[in-house]
Amino acid sequence: MTGNGSLPTMKDVARSAGVALGTVSKVFNNIPVGDSYRQRVLEAADRLGYQVNNYARGLKTNRTYAVAFIVPNLELPFFAILTQNICQALERRGYRMILALTDFSPDTEQSCVRMAQQNKVDGIIGLTYNPNLHLKDSIPFVSFDRYFSSSIPCVASDNFGGGQMAAEKLIELGCRKLLFLRIGSSVSGETDKRGDGFEVCCRAKGFPCDSLRLFNEDGYEPFKEFLAAHIHDGKLDYDGIFCASDGLAMAIRANLAEWGILVPRDVQIIGFDGIPVWGSGLPCSTIVQPVAQLAETCVDIVLKEDRTEQPSLICLPVCYASGGTTRDS
Amino acid sequence: MTGNGSLPTMKDVARSAGVALGTVSKVFNNIPVGDSYRQRVLEAADRLGYQVNNYARGLKTNRTYAVAFIVPNLELPFFAILTQNICQALERRGYRMILALTDFSPDTEQSCVRMAQQNKVDGIIGLTYNPNLHLKDSIPFVSFDRYFSSSIPCVASDNFGGGQMAAEKLIELGCRKLLFLRIGSSVSGETDKRGDGFEVCCRAKGFPCDSLRLFNEDGYEPFKEFLAAHIHDGKLDYDGIFCASDGLAMAIRANLAEWGILVPRDVQIIGFDGIPVWGSGLPCSTIVQPVAQLAETCVDIVLKEDRTEQPSLICLPVCYASGGTTRDS
């Protein structure tokens, strides 16, 4: 790194841009100024090679303009798109994202929180699976999909409503023998409500509903055994399946095809998430999570100065979209 | 934030852990110490609520232990998985990733570089599309998939070799009328070599090869028109297609199916990337990019203290994997 002696200062930028020193300060502190002023300041800064010393700035303002986002991985399309939307929402507000991946490990989650606190971020957004995560009051924390306590805001889709919506749609499309499938963490969370909503709605409408809820450690094999046990004379016992994710819906569809059972001809399937596959649209009929709004909400709450009277659980509305695995496509 | 008066110090941690002060310092500066010592220090730090002041540390060591990664988005599976692998490679070295998304905008790319420089990161890894990106010598920059100059290391897959490999495989599988398709940025980059390698290999082996190379701004429509013009009596003029990405391969496959042309029965397709679809394995037969090694290489180079004698282009080997769109599956 270069020494400080010859570096241009804010005053140099102000002189070169022909604006007041306060205007330069505003631009670099993300305080609104007119677009033309902003442009002139940024151009002058570029011309002179001026760099804000965010470390000094951080020490002075007690803000770092950084938010940590903790998420298991970017392999699941929903995780990738949620990360993208949160990063974009932060960038729009002049903040940057520190990305921390945990691969579902509770220990790694705790050390990511520690890392974030050590780096004095202005907030943490966490999609975590450690119910005993130790959080400090000093840094705002917003939890995605996991409710901790009334003092920690949790943002999620309306998972229960989405489950109900899936049941209503399958029944509307003529399904009478319904099945719910999920595989996920053994730690309970908001996403468990997808199955709850589905079962409640099926029961209320008077149709039978079976369920198979697996944990990640069970692996995929029990699904195959379950389906095999429910095929008689080449026919599946169910005519409508709700899967807790689009990924699972695609895997189940591929599995049924091996037994000659075709979707949506023989059985209709609805998934959950609604992330389009690049170049191919939606992977299946699905309950779509409002990813952009979920991201905006997480960022709004984590950056909110006034932390009194925060809601403890914010559920955003989902919607149904047809995508080839139901007979409305 | 809490004041500094009552906060535990490194000395308190050393006393509580029963280790020397130097050991505590090593742990928090990511200098290797025995695992049991490391464990004791981290436990004591947690117990006491000790937080490293990384701002003070950054000012002292002139390191921030942060690396910026600049990438267009996380929608393309390859971008998502590359981001994941780079983030994990940084975490393993005690560094954190600042994620910056650009949506392919050259202006946003430039302002991401500016942001990274302002935040005095220890390095920048960029997957960018701005050939005129203005970079400062003071911060190490590693470019992914785009060659700037001999002084800026570029890391990429062996794209040319991958194209050759695709041609060899299709010819080995009996294809004689070959086609190359790509859609991508109008800014030239390393990935252009996929088609070059394919065409060179087809020509060398004495088989004809057509190509359609589109820019993102052209949209997908010209592919449909091209294919429609090359179908005669329900038969496609080609029996082997190499697509520059798996996403394009999937889209082309879906398109051909609409005309009753089936893959791999009527035409065999090989894509490029090799990112598995969650729950369904590889989307198609493909040339697999070595994502984990690409990520490790980017991180190794960007963090290397000695920046003399750096290679200017590092190409890592790819491999072929069968995935249902060729007749070897």
Side-chain angles (χ1 to χ4, degrees), chain B residues 137-318:
Chain B
D137 275 345
S138 54
I139 295 179
F141 186 94
V142 170
S143 174
F144 189 86
D145 265 356
R146 177 165 324 287
Y147 182 84
F148 282 93
S149 74
S150 62
S151 64
I152 295 171
C154 171
V155 174
S157 286
D158 180 2
N159 288 287
F160 193 89
Q164 289 180 300
M165 201 178 275
E168 278 166 10
K169 182 52 75 174
L170 286 173
I171 291 167
E172 179 193 318
L173 293 169
C175 300
R176 294 296 175 261
K177 290 164 290 176
L178 298 148
L179 174 64
F180 170 67
L181 300 177
R182 73 86 81 167
I183 183 162
S185 169
S186 55
V187 181
S188 69
E190 285 301 305
T191 60
D192 296 347
K193 295 182 183 170
R194 295 173 190 173
D196 301 339
F198 185 77
E199 290 170 9
V200 163
C201 183
C202 290
R203 236 176 282 132
K205 293 196 176 270
F207 295 107
C209 169
D210 286 349
S211 287
L212 182 60
R213 296 173 185 237
L214 299 181
F215 298 145
N216 289 328
E217 47 271 33
D218 298 325
Y220 184 84
E221 208 51 38
F223 285 128
K224 287 193 184 175
E225 291 162 17
F226 179 91
L227 291 172
H230 286 85
I231 296 175
H232 297 99
D233 302 325
K235 282 198 165 181
L236 187 68
D237 291 347
Y238 307 99
D239 56 7
I241 305 178
F242 173 44
C243 294
S245 75
D246 290 345
L248 181 58
M250 299 309 291
I252 296 293
R253 177 193 198 157
N255 235 240
L256 290 170
E258 290 171 23
W259 284 304
I261 294 164
L262 295 185
V263 176
R265 190 194 68 183
D266 306 321
V267 56
Q268 301 185 70
I269 300 185
I270 293 179
F272 205 106
D273 283 343
I275 310 299
V277 180
W278 193 88
S280 325
L282 284 177
C284 57
S285 297
T286 185
I287 306 299
V288 183
Q289 299 205 58
V291 191
Q293 295 93 303
L294 288 165
E296 285 290 332
T297 306
C298 288
V299 170
D300 276 345
I301 295 177
V302 87
L303 295 182
K304 211 173 163 194
E305 297 270 348
D306 178 8
R307 289 165 69 197
T308 54
E309 296 184 33
Q310 294 205 97
S312 58
L313 176 62
I314 302 113
C315 291
L316 301 186
V318 294

